[in-house]
Amino acid sequence: MSVQESAFHGFANPVDPTPAELRAWAYHPDSVPLTSMPPDWDLLVSGDRLVMTLFELAMDGSCPARRFALHCLYIYAADGIRTNFRAHPKRRFRKLVDQAERNGDEMMRVWAHNSRTLLSRPDLFVYRDWCEGGLVREGRRL
């Protein structure tokens, strides 16, 4: 069960949204369409500050922006793995993967599987799949 805002009135700073703003937007994504967001907004929000919020949204099957949140988790995973965890803490990444495997639905288990696969085989990184939403759209396992 998720706590949802009754309405979303916009971001104070779309380049640096707060967790509460991102959560409110995710349940009312038509209020501020992705097309009106800054370029590469997905890359901007896929960092440590918002990853827990993105994870919660991706775990919520009723969240209208769930696929966007999952897309951001793919970016987060690839960024951490490809920088040998200089960009993001390995411990946090592993906790998210473990939780997705234990408590997630099929979409989240596929993300966890793909993340573990990339961790063991970084050569499988394809920008289109990890950073442009290919794995989210296709829902496939590596």
Side-chain angles (χ1 to χ4, degrees):
M1 193 73 176
S2 62
V3 178
Q4 301 176 18
E5 298 281 327
S6 59
F8 178 64
H9 303 291
F11 297 99
N13 179 0
V15 174
D16 189 22
T18 67
E21 287 175 331
L22 184 62
R23 188 175 295 106
W25 169 80
Y27 289 99
H28 303 280
D30 294 336
S31 62
V32 181
L34 279 174
T35 55
S36 71
M37 299 309 286
D40 297 324
W41 190 61
D42 54 348
L43 301 176
L44 293 172
V45 300
S46 297
D48 288 321
R49 190 159 115 20
L50 295 172
V51 73
M52 298 308 293
T53 302
L54 291 164
F55 187 79
E56 292 168 13
L57 297 170
M59 289 285 282
D60 183 356
S62 68
C63 177
R66 180 183 192 204
R67 289 170 58 87
F68 174 79
L70 181 60
H71 164 63
C72 292
L73 290 179
Y74 272 101
I75 293 170
Y76 182 85
D79 194 31
I81 293 166
R82 294 186 71 235
T83 63
N84 199 25
F85 295 98
R86 285 185 302 277
H88 309 297
K90 189 173 192 175
R91 183 175 176 187
R92 178 177 293 151
F93 166 75
R94 287 191 182 273
K95 281 183 173 182
L96 294 173
V97 169
D98 290 345
Q99 189 174 346
E101 288 172 336
R102 277 192 322 274
N103 303 322
D105 63 6
E106 182 62 15
M107 281 176 60
M108 291 303 292
R109 286 191 304 270
V110 169
W111 171 78
H113 168 84
N114 289 344
S115 295
R116 285 196 190 275
T117 300
L118 187 65
L119 185 58
S120 65
R121 298 263 326 271
D123 60 298
L124 293 177
F125 175 79
V126 174
Y127 188 86
R128 182 194 152 292
D129 288 342
W130 289 85
C131 299
E132 293 180 345
L135 290 171
V136 175
R137 282 189 300 277
E138 297 165 10
R140 68 181 165 87
R141 289 177 182 258
L142 296 177

